[in-house]
Amino acid sequence: MYELATEEVNPQRKATEFIGSIGKAIYSLIETILVALVLAIVLYLFIMTPHEVVGNSMHPTYKNGEFLMANKITYRISEPKRGDVIIFKFSDTQDFIKRVIGIPGDEVMIKDGKIYINSEMLDESNYLSSSVITNGGEYLHEGQSITIEQGKYFVCGDNRTNSSDSRVFGPIEKEAIKGKAWIVYFPFSEFRIVQHESY
């Protein structure tokens, strides 16, 4: 019978192997972080854009301080529709969240506290209380009607008495639209898929 030789463990070799395994773990972690960062940048630049709801212009549908994600792809392959909740660039430092009320070619009128599209009263009962009154503004006055030009959209906040929108500053350009609201992701207790109307 032959006796197997026992291999002596070299402390220096053991330390080198341990340091090597730590190095591999760190490299793997850095690689994972870099991939995640690249994916996040790609998502931010081309697919999604985050938005914080500031103010009460969309209350109670969307509340002040909520964070949502908007889809940037949708309007590259389709046009905004009435009832869509959108994020658009209002100024160099401010984005707004509003609801699309009128699309190109629509005749929009405010009469007796209600919005009329192409002479038909808009049914907003799914997201507005029956007691909500829509007043005119500096751009669109009570009893006045306007026809929306091509490439422009008439938008309103759901909180009609506390919203600066197309009634005040007129229709917005399609190029100003950054995306279609998709999910509310913060606070976590309010996580939900954004509901869009169709009318």
Side-chain angles (χ1 to χ4, degrees):
M1 299 290 294
Y2 295 97
E3 191 175 318
L4 294 174
T6 55
E7 186 180 343
E8 275 191 37
V9 179
N10 186 332
Q12 188 176 0
R13 180 180 167 191
K14 193 172 181 181
T16 303
E17 287 176 354
F18 178 70
I19 291 169
S21 67
I22 289 176
K24 285 180 183 177
I26 291 171
Y27 176 80
S28 178
L29 180 63
I30 291 171
E31 189 177 44
T32 302
I33 290 170
L34 285 175
V35 169
L37 282 172
V38 169
L39 285 174
I41 291 168
V42 169
L43 282 171
Y44 179 77
L45 290 178
F46 303 106
I47 300 173
M48 302 289 176
T49 183
H51 175 76
E52 179 185 2
V53 179
V54 178
N56 294 307
S57 73
M58 287 295 285
H59 189 87
T61 318
Y62 304 97
K63 301 174 185 68
N64 181 47
E66 288 186 333
F67 285 80
L68 55 83
M69 197 67 73
N71 181 335
K72 297 172 77 171
I73 299 291
T74 302
Y75 297 140
R76 292 180 185 171
I77 57 177
S78 65
E79 297 297 318
K81 299 178 179 62
R82 291 188 209 100
D84 285 358
V85 176
I86 63 168
I87 309 300
F88 65 94
K89 182 178 180 178
F90 179 70
S91 68
D92 290 339
T93 58
Q94 197 171 20
D95 292 341
F96 277 1
I97 176 173
K98 305 290 178 188
R99 190 181 299 276
V100 175
I101 297 297
I103 61 175
D106 279 348
E107 183 185 66
V108 181
M109 179 173 69
I110 296 176
K111 181 182 176 184
D112 300 327
K114 300 294 181 184
I115 295 179
Y116 287 77
I117 302 292
N118 303 322
S119 302
E120 291 188 15
M121 191 175 77
L122 191 63
D123 180 7
E124 300 187 90
S125 58
N126 282 347
Y127 55 90
L128 292 185
S129 164
S130 59
S131 62
V132 170
I133 295 173
T134 301
N135 294 314
E138 288 88 343
Y139 178 82
L140 181 60
H141 307 286
E142 169 75 21
Q144 176 191 10
S145 66
I146 57 142
T147 299
I148 302 171
E149 298 174 21
Q150 290 302 311
K152 294 190 176 183
Y153 294 85
F154 193 92
V155 298
C156 285
D158 288 354
N159 187 357
R160 297 292 159 79
T161 58
N162 190 25
S163 174
S164 177
D165 50 41
S166 288
R167 295 171 295 163
V168 175
F169 51 72
I172 63 166
E173 301 277 351
K174 184 184 177 184
E175 289 72 25
I177 299 174
K178 299 180 79 171
K180 182 178 182 178
W182 179 44
I183 58 169
V184 175
Y185 63 90
F186 188 83
F188 301 123
S189 59
E190 297 295 327
F191 182 91
R192 63 192 182 277
I193 303 293
V194 170
Q195 298 297 313
H196 300 275
E197 299 301 321
S198 179
Y199 39 64

